Amino acid sequence: MLAELKSVSAGYGGPPALEDVSFQVREGDRIGVLGPNGGGKSTLFKVMLGVLEPTEGIVEVELPCGFVPQSDRSRLDYPVSALDVVLMGALGRLPWWRRPGRVERRRAVEALELLGLEALAQRTFGELSGGQRQRVLIARALMQEGRLLLLDEPFSGIDTASSRRVTAVIDQLAERGHGLMIATHDVEQARAWGLVLCLNRRQVAFGPAQETLTRPVLEETHGGALVRLPHGNGDVDDTARNEEEDNGEAALLPPHHHHHHEQA
């Protein structure tokens, strides 16, 4: 078990930003964390990283826990190489008086090789494409030697080819025994992973993606917002799918109060 949360709530002094969250992460799990902006995805990751204390509940996380920020939010505009960025991941693992040495450099190069970036090791981070930067940030997180990785919107702002590369890396890491949580507000991305955790300021549902992403769950997760309904998936209400096919646009899901789809 890499992580277990039991009845966890958290906030920033006012009303809870997230309530009643319970789930487990095991080796090899790929969990899509689905929710709207402000739905609690960032709050959950802060709790799991130990940055934010929960107001209620129990959090057990195997440390270190690696974090991969959105590549377009990485403040790395100064001239620093891809290899240097990956080496930054080792700093938290070393005593303060030790600089990264040959062992760390070798591990950093191996991490870049795993992500298909060894040819770009000396390239300036700012010159890389969004998808390449995202993979460099995953390599940096691997340097922390954690088996649990939290990825914040890793497909934001990258093209389809880069998305495929990042997806392949996530699959590869899961096969090697890592547990990965992938935050997204995109239903189709969430559907691609084995498990999904749906949040909208509280836990709406947790379970296998194909079974869990029903129309009532999507309505509650997105609060009746515009949701792109998938074509040809039998687990979504046929009438909703037909509406979308008729008008060629995302069907507007009306608010629908459907309570507790949680699975242990």
Side-chain angles (χ1 to χ4, degrees):
M1 191 77 65
L2 300 180
E4 183 168 17
L5 279 70
K6 299 175 186 170
S7 305
V8 170
S9 297
Y12 304 94
L18 192 59
E19 286 185 279
D20 200 20
V21 175
S22 300
F23 66 92
Q24 297 174 333
V25 187
R26 295 180 171 85
E27 293 89 345
D29 279 351
R30 298 166 309 148
I31 302 174
V33 183
L34 179 68
N37 291 332
K41 301 188 298 289
S42 296
T43 300
L44 173 64
F45 280 5
K46 285 174 184 168
V47 168
M48 294 182 72
L49 289 162
V51 176
L52 182 66
E53 282 286 320
T55 52
E56 288 179 48
I58 298 167
V59 179
E60 294 175 4
V61 175
E62 180 185 285
L63 296 175
C65 176
F67 176 63
V68 182
Q70 291 183 37
S71 62
D72 56 355
R73 291 192 178 170
S74 307
R75 302 281 183 259
L76 289 167
D77 299 329
Y78 50 94
V80 58
S81 73
L83 183 63
D84 290 332
V85 173
V86 177
L87 277 168
M88 289 175 191
L91 294 177
R93 309 285 297 148
L94 296 172
W96 63 266
W97 66 86
R98 257 204 65 203
R99 302 286 306 147
R102 263 187 311 211
V103 173
E104 287 76 33
R105 285 184 75 82
R106 188 166 67 245
R107 283 188 47 238
V109 169
E110 286 169 0
L112 285 170
E113 285 172 356
L114 176 68
L115 290 147
L117 293 167
E118 61 273 22
L120 302 176
Q122 299 307 324
R123 187 80 61 85
T124 303
F125 184 79
E127 293 173 359
L128 301 177
S129 71
Q132 289 166 344
R133 285 202 301 268
Q134 192 66 70
R135 284 185 282 150
V136 169
L137 294 173
I138 293 172
R140 181 180 69 174
L142 291 177
M143 289 291 286
Q144 294 159 19
E145 296 186 321
R147 292 193 300 160
L148 178 60
L149 288 180
L150 311 180
L151 296 93
D152 182 20
E153 302 273 359
F155 301 100
S156 175
I158 66 175
D159 62 29
T160 308
S162 297
S163 294
R164 279 199 287 267
R165 293 291 298 259
V166 172
T167 300
V169 165
I170 289 171
D171 291 344
Q172 194 176 358
L173 292 172
E175 285 168 15
R176 289 168 59 132
H178 285 81
L180 301 106
M181 298 187 70
I182 306 107
T184 182
H185 54 267
D186 186 299
V187 177
E188 286 303 283
Q189 283 176 12
R191 196 179 292 281
W193 311 116
L195 295 163
V196 66
L197 173 67
C198 297
L199 303 175
N200 191 351
R201 302 187 74 87
R202 65 175 190 81
Q203 181 165 321
V204 177
F206 175 64
Q210 296 300 331
E211 298 162 25
T212 303
L213 291 173
T214 60
R215 188 174 186 211
V217 166
L218 290 176
E219 288 172 1
E220 197 169 346
T221 301
H222 286 275
L226 278 171
V227 175
R228 170 65 63 185
L229 289 173
H231 289 280
N233 275 321
D235 55 343
V236 169
D237 190 310
D238 279 333
T239 56
R241 198 166 66 238
N242 292 338
E243 280 170 31
E244 187 190 18
E245 287 166 358
D246 288 345
N247 63 23
E249 296 175 2
L252 179 62
L253 298 180
H256 179 85
H257 300 292
H258 198 97
H259 289 289
H260 292 290
H261 305 267
E262 293 171 23
Q263 285 181 232

